[in-house]
């Protein structure tokens, strides 16, 4: 982690740094959606090794994901989709093929790809960006997709409809407000799972504190039970030295998995 590692870590192009900063900034919602529409064609992520068989969660560090586009030679190493899907699969009590799952802020389908590899087949998605949804539709992984801006409008689903709900990458400063978390609970069935992620970089710490206050309040109210929290130092490459974790050229992040109450009793026999 000396100077050599730092020099390798900061080979992000100016375009990548600017796009990440823009969509995580505090601009008006229509402008941020326009930025996501424009980013959709360059957003795809593939494993650095070209392989999709990462190890199990919480045991060994997964292979980083690398942001690749024809125009961008540098890597963000965005690991949240893998980490979230692995954590959810780790917590799930039964084979997930028949489980109905809603991928909120689904983007181009990175989380769906990871979930599909772990046996989830009934995937629905929502996103505020029409451009991202077009890319997600092209994957063929979703049974249904809707355009919806969580925080500004309710999710297009009835109450207690899903066995699991994921929000990966969108819970952050200038994106989905923490006050929208109860809407995720509304569409989750009792005993179902919610998998959420957020970043721990300096510019997101205020949002993270607000989010965790909401998570803790819902737990104290008996709305859900915490299943796991996974803190990750190398979440993705930092876009500036100020944002890096301990000078590592990476930012850190966290995965939360909760189970909605009441949790069904364990069947005996």
């Amino acid at each position: 982690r000396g100077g050599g590692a730092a020099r390798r870590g900061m080979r992000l192009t100016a375009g990548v740094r600017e796009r990440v900063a823009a969509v995580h900034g505090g601009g008006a919602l229509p402008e941020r959606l326009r930025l996501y529409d424009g980013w959709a064609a360059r957003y795809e992520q593939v494993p650095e090794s070209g392989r999709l068989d990462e190890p199990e969660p919480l045991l060994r560090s997964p292979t980083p994901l690398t942001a690749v586009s024809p125009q961008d030679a540098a890597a963000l190493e965005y690991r949240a989709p893998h980490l979230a899907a692995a954590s959810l699969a780790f917590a799930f009590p039964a084979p997930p093929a028949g489980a109905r799952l809603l991928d909120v802020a689904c983007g181009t389908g990175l989380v769906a790809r990871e979930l599909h590899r772990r046996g989830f087949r009934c995937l629905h998605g929502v996103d505020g960006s029409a451009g991202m949804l077009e890319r997600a539709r092209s994957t063929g992984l979703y049974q249904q997709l809707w355009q919806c801006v969580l925080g500004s409008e309710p999710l297009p689903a009835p109450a207690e409809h899903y066995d699991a709900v994921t929000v990966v990458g969108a819970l952050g400063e200038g994106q989905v407000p923490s006050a929208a978390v109860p809407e995720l609970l509304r569409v989750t069935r009792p005993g179902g799972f919610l998998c959420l992620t957020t970043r721990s970089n300096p510019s997101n710490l205020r949002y993270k504190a607000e989010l965790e206050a909401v998570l803790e309040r819902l737990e104290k109210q008996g709305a859900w039970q915490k299943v796991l929290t996974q803190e990750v130092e190398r979440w993705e490459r930092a876009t500036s030295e100020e944002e890096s974790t301990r000078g590592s050229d990476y930012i850190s992040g966290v995965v939360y998995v909760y189970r909605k109450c009441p949790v069904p009793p364990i069947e005996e026999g």
Side-chain angles (χ1 to χ4, degrees):
R1 278 197 176 177
R7 285 190 295 272
R8 288 193 300 273
M10 289 309 293
R11 284 186 295 183
L12 292 176
T13 66
V16 172
R17 294 195 299 269
E18 290 167 4
R19 283 191 290 277
V20 172
V23 297
H24 292 166
L29 177 60
E31 174 63 14
R32 281 186 283 118
L33 292 177
R34 186 187 66 78
L35 290 168
Y36 272 114
D37 286 343
W39 197 14
R42 309 163 73 93
Y43 193 78
E44 271 304 300
Q45 323 282 325
V46 296
E48 190 174 48
S49 63
R51 298 167 62 239
L52 294 175
D53 52 338
E54 286 93 345
E56 290 300 308
L58 311 180
L59 300 176
R60 292 174 286 170
S61 297
T63 302
L65 295 181
T66 303
V68 177
S69 78
Q71 297 82 13
D72 297 330
L76 269 176
E77 295 184 19
Y78 180 50
R79 298 170 63 190
H82 166 82
L83 293 165
S87 296
L88 181 60
F90 181 83
F92 226 76
R100 187 186 291 126
L101 184 144
L102 180 64
D103 183 11
V104 178
C106 64
T108 59
L110 302 183
V111 177
R113 195 169 297 163
E114 294 288 336
L115 290 167
H116 194 268
R117 294 198 304 105
R118 290 166 175 80
F120 292 88
R121 294 293 182 267
C122 185
L123 302 176
H124 298 175
V126 300
D127 199 276
S129 164
M132 291 287 185
L133 286 172
E134 183 179 352
R135 291 280 169 168
R137 189 169 289 107
S138 71
T139 68
L141 296 175
Y142 294 96
Q143 293 186 347
Q144 288 185 290
L145 286 164
W146 301 278
Q147 189 168 3
C148 171
V149 180
L150 181 62
S152 299
E153 51 192 331
L155 292 169
E160 301 183 358
H161 189 65
Y162 289 100
D163 298 292
V165 175
T166 61
V167 187
V168 179
L171 291 170
E173 194 70 46
Q175 298 182 296
V176 174
S178 59
V181 171
E183 176 64 5
L184 305 173
L185 264 168
R186 180 187 69 81
V187 301
T188 307
R189 69 167 180 80
F193 292 86
L194 298 97
C195 181
L196 319 173
T197 74
T198 196
R199 297 169 174 84
S200 304
N201 52 303
S203 65
N204 198 53
L205 290 179
R206 183 180 66 173
Y207 178 94
K208 183 185 176 188
E210 293 174 354
L211 175 65
E212 291 187 336
V214 172
L215 305 184
E216 291 171 11
R217 182 168 67 250
L218 289 169
E219 189 171 17
K220 288 180 180 178
Q221 292 172 351
W224 60 14
Q225 295 176 356
K226 183 187 291 183
V227 176
L228 65 87
T229 299
Q230 184 182 11
E231 299 275 355
V232 180
E233 280 196 11
R234 292 193 168 203
W235 187 259
E236 65 184 69
R237 288 198 184 275
T239 55
S240 70
E241 293 182 7
E242 292 77 17
E243 290 294 297
S244 64
T245 302
R246 301 173 187 171
S248 68
D249 275 348
Y250 289 83
I251 65 170
S252 55
V254 57
V255 180
Y256 313 91
V257 178
Y258 286 86
R259 196 172 191 190
K260 184 174 177 177
C261 295
V263 174
I266 299 174
E267 295 183 7
E268 297 183 359

